[in-house]
């Protein structure tokens, strides 16, 4: 078939894919390295992480590795840009490892990435994304668009599908098309939208934000909505807590608005409602 | 849980796809477009595993463009090998340039759930409901003498039936019509307000 030849599909060519073991029809042009030599993890030949992990994640045996996205993050677009609000509790199973973790990664002055899921995965892949964004800017003399940055991250996630990554991230920025907000997931989902919330406290945060969200919020109202949503989510969700880190992405870059302790916020809201 | 419908008439194809993008039980996006334009008159609708749908669809899109650039014309009859690794159910429909319409549906692991549909006249059409995975549905049918308006009415009846029987609420659908003049967006079909 002409199209098969164009696609470069060769029957029986099973050597393409990370670690040289996974057979795939996709072209191995290492898209997230822009054609430079493949940036892969150095592992011994014959390693197949997907096959190794699938009994533990897909769950036939007694042992299940179940990764919680133990956090609450949210971001929404409104008339003045994008508001990003995150909690700051880092949990390791039942142990609170840190009450002051920073879950927003400042990729560059015009791009922010949030973290939920495995902290290690988020930090590593978003730092890699920061490197690729910087290389893009040096090669092309203009800043990368939010759409392209989120696509790079999504391609990295698709490359390592089924190998145990856990990352739910929102890429927020301001580029030539205006404010941009994308949700990128470890199973390859990439969605653009007006409002997203991730993590196990996200259902509580959605409840608060959905009741108060309008596109024409003022800046103060938007900050208050973000703070309120995270505070209420931390009140009910065991894996979220600490402080609310609030950022505002504007046309000339992001600014950090506040870092408010959720306990004080909850007291304040309780007093207000009396 | 997603839904695609394709109805082929004598010289047109009507397709609809739901617009919900979900992540386990949460609806993350309410206006997600599941139709990918492969060429001026060929549309592909994709549902399935989260990252796979977009990656697969964009791969096919770019390769069709590449073929067009190299050979100066579009592949008239697109045959695609659906590799087992792709858990995608897709419905490929459109006009071949000089030939009558083709409407193809192909899924991995198809099981034919129902032949025919209640409430619509028998004898004029023949419909098939295919189940791509346990939760995704693709419906396609070939009708011999349907006008465009009748096709839209048939589509509305299908969506009403869906609202009645499908376990999830799918509030809105993107509808597109493909004929010899190209791809047209029709109005979004919301199911009747509860």
């Amino acid at each position: 078939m002409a199209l098969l030849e164009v696609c470069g599909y060769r029957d029986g060519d099973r050597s393409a894919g990370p670690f040289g073991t996974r057979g795939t029809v996709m072209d191995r042009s290492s898209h997230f390295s822009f054609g430079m030599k493949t940036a892969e993890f150095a592992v011994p030949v014959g390693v197949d992480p997907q096959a190794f992990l699938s009994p533990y994640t897909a769950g036939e045996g007694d042992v299940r590795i179940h990764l919680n996205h133990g956090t609450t993050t949210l971001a929404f677009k409104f008339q003045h840009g994008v508001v990003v609000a995150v909690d700051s509790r880092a949990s390791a199973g039942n142990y609170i490892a840190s009450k002051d973790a920073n879950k927003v990664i400042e990729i560059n002055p015009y791009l922010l990435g949030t973290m939920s899921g495995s902290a290690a995965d988020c930090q590593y892949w978003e730092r890699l994304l920061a490197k690729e964004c910087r290389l893009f800017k040096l090669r092309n003399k203009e800043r990368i668009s939010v759409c392209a940055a989120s696509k790079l991250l999504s391609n990295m996630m698709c490359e390592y599908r089924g190998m145990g990554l856990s990352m739910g991230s929102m890429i927020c920025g301001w580029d030539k098309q205006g404010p941009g907000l994308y949700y990128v997931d470890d199973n390859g989902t990439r969605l653009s939208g007006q409002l997203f919330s991730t993590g196990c406290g996200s259902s509580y945060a959605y409840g608060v934000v959905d009741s108060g969200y309008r596109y024409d919020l003022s800046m103060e109202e938007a900050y208050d909505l973000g703070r309120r949503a995270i505070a209420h989510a931390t009140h009910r969700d065991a894996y979220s807590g600490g402080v609310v880190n609030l950022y505002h992405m504007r046309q000339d870059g992001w600014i950090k608005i506040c870092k408010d302790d959720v306990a004080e916020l909850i007291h304040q809201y309780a007093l207000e409602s009396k | 849980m997603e839904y695609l419908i394709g109805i082929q008439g004598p010289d047109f194809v009507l397709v609809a796809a739901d617009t919900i993008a979900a992540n386990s039980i949460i609806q993350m996006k309410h206006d997600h477009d599941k139709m990918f334009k492969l060429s001026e008159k060929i549309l592909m609708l994709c549902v399935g595993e989260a990252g796979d749908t977009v990656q697969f669809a964009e791969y096919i899109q770019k390769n069709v463009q590449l073929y067009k650039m190299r050979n100066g014309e579009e592949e008239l009859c697109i045959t695609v090998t659906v590799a087992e690794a792709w858990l995608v159910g897709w419905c490929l429909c459109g006009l071949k340039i000089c030939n009558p319409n083709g409407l193809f549906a192909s899924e991995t692991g198809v099981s034919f759930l129902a032949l025919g549909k209640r409430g619509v006249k028998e004898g004029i059409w023949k419909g098939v409901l295919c189940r791509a995975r346990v939760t995704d549905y693709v419906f396609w049918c070939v009708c011999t003498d349907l006008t465009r308006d009748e096709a839209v009415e048939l589509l509305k009846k299908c969506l009403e039936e869906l609202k009645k029987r499908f376990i999830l609420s799918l509030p809105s659908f993107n509808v597109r019509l493909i004929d010899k003049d190209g791809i047209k967006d029709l109005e979004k079909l919301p199911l009747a307000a509860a």
Side-chain angles (χ1 to χ4, degrees):
Chain A
M1 313 276 157
L3 193 60
L4 279 182
E5 278 157 25
V6 163
C7 298
Y9 177 69
R10 283 175 297 280
D11 223 344
D13 179 351
R14 304 313 256 182
S15 63
F19 314 119
T21 50
R22 182 162 56 103
T24 163
V25 184
M26 276 178 87
D27 205 353
R28 283 291 299 146
S29 58
S30 55
H31 25 242
F32 69 81
S33 299
F34 289 109
M36 304 286 277
K37 205 150 183 274
T38 317
E40 281 180 354
F41 294 122
V43 291
V45 171
V47 165
D48 187 1
Q50 280 174 326
F52 172 73
L53 269 177
S54 69
Y56 305 110
T57 50
E60 287 106 37
D62 290 332
V63 180
R64 286 291 307 274
I65 299 181
H66 179 58
L67 295 163
N68 270 322
H69 290 212
T71 185
T72 313
T73 66
L74 70 89
F76 58 86
K77 276 201 268 198
F78 71 119
Q79 60 175 338
H80 296 296
V82 188
V83 162
V84 180
V86 302
D87 76 310
S88 69
R89 175 173 291 183
S91 48
N94 295 337
Y95 171 71
I96 297 177
S98 165
K99 61 175 167 51
D100 200 5
N102 191 5
K103 300 187 186 178
V104 173
I105 292 176
E106 300 151 3
I107 296 173
N108 65 43
Y110 293 84
L111 264 187
L112 287 176
T114 65
M115 294 205 291
S116 77
S118 153
D121 278 334
C122 291
Q123 283 178 347
Y124 176 76
W125 292 105
E126 294 191 12
R127 269 188 19 245
L128 196 61
L129 177 67
K131 171 192 131 189
E132 291 300 330
C133 292
R134 177 77 183 136
L135 283 175
F136 182 97
K137 180 161 184 220
L138 290 170
R139 288 179 186 133
N140 298 282
K141 299 199 179 99
E142 65 170 16
R143 283 203 311 266
I144 193 170
S145 66
V146 189
C147 183
S150 63
K151 190 70 178 166
L152 281 177
L153 188 61
S154 165
N155 287 341
M156 292 180 208
M157 290 299 110
C158 285
E159 190 77 26
Y160 288 95
R161 276 192 68 204
M163 299 191 198
L165 290 186
S166 162
M167 185 199 83
S169 165
M170 292 178 297
I171 304 295
C172 327
W174 196 300
D175 56 22
K176 284 188 284 222
Q177 276 97 26
L181 175 58
Y182 286 84
Y183 168 71
V184 178
D185 207 332
D186 55 273
N187 46 26
T189 313
R190 171 180 165 267
L191 297 169
S192 88
Q194 297 280 96
L195 160 66
F196 290 114
S197 174
T198 66
C200 57
S202 65
S203 30
Y204 310 108
Y206 267 125
V208 177
V209 180
D210 280 337
S211 347
Y213 174 72
R214 289 182 332 264
Y215 186 76
D216 55 356
L217 288 167
S218 72
M219 288 201 282
E220 279 311 315
E221 285 173 341
Y223 301 159
D224 181 61
L225 186 63
R227 266 195 289 260
R228 221 172 257 271
I230 297 287
H232 285 289
T234 58
H235 185 53
R236 285 295 176 184
D237 180 35
Y239 294 100
S240 309
V243 301
V244 179
N245 282 315
L246 195 68
Y247 287 73
H248 179 191
M249 175 65 65
R250 302 184 306 195
Q251 188 160 11
D252 50 357
W254 55 261
I255 51 171
K256 183 155 186 185
I257 304 295
C258 71
K259 187 173 163 161
D260 290 334
D261 191 314
V262 294
E264 285 162 25
L265 284 175
I266 292 285
H267 273 301
Q268 182 190 320
Y269 298 143
L271 286 174
E272 273 170 22
S273 65
K274 288 219 175 86
Chain B
M1 301 215 194
E2 307 166 277
Y3 202 89
L4 307 176
I5 305 183
I7 299 173
Q8 177 183 329
D11 60 349
F12 68 93
V13 177
L14 185 68
V15 287
D18 74 293
T19 57
I20 299 294
N23 187 357
S24 78
I25 56 165
I26 304 274
Q27 289 182 4
M28 301 220 63
K29 192 168 171 183
H30 306 284
D31 54 358
H32 189 224
D33 191 0
K34 298 182 190 174
M35 305 193 194
F36 297 89
K37 189 171 151 183
L38 299 187
S39 82
E40 284 309 306
K41 293 177 192 159
I42 304 185
L43 206 58
M44 181 161 83
L45 288 68
C46 268
V47 294
E49 183 102 8
D52 276 347
T53 49
V54 176
Q55 294 273 329
F56 180 71
E58 289 187 352
Y59 180 68
I60 300 297
Q61 248 179 349
K62 300 311 170 201
N63 277 289
V64 169
Q65 276 182 341
L66 180 63
Y67 186 87
K68 191 172 169 188
M69 276 188 240
R70 283 186 182 163
N71 300 58
E73 63 173 32
E74 290 167 356
E75 176 77 1
L76 294 187
C77 176
I78 295 185
T79 56
V80 180
T81 312
V82 182
E84 288 306 305
W86 301 104
L87 295 177
V88 166
W90 52 274
C91 199
L92 178 65
C93 35
L95 268 190
K96 296 185 203 174
I97 291 169
C98 318
N99 300 336
N101 308 8
L103 174 67
F104 312 97
S106 160
E107 299 84 15
T108 53
V110 161
S111 77
F112 288 76
L113 267 191
L115 198 70
K117 189 184 166 307
R118 278 193 303 274
V120 186
K121 288 180 274 191
E122 305 292 325
I124 291 185
W125 57 270
K126 184 174 68 171
V128 166
L129 184 69
C130 315
R131 184 163 65 174
R133 305 186 298 169
V134 176
T135 53
D136 298 339
Y137 287 82
V138 176
F139 177 76
W140 63 282
C141 74
V142 178
C143 315
T144 46
D145 56 353
L146 217 57
T147 66
R148 285 163 172 69
D149 291 329
E150 282 175 1
V152 175
E153 285 311 308
L154 176 60
L155 180 65
K156 285 187 182 156
K157 288 209 174 82
C158 289
L159 297 187
E160 275 168 32
E161 180 70 13
L162 188 68
K163 185 184 174 198
K164 198 170 160 195
R165 289 295 173 186
F166 196 48
I167 198 175
L168 281 196
S169 144
L170 294 174
S172 71
F173 283 75
N174 263 337
V175 183
R176 293 204 162 100
L177 181 81
I178 308 166
D179 58 13
K180 61 176 169 31
D181 301 322
I183 301 172
K184 278 197 280 274
D185 278 347
L186 297 183
E187 56 168 18
K188 279 201 185 190
L189 277 187
L191 300 180

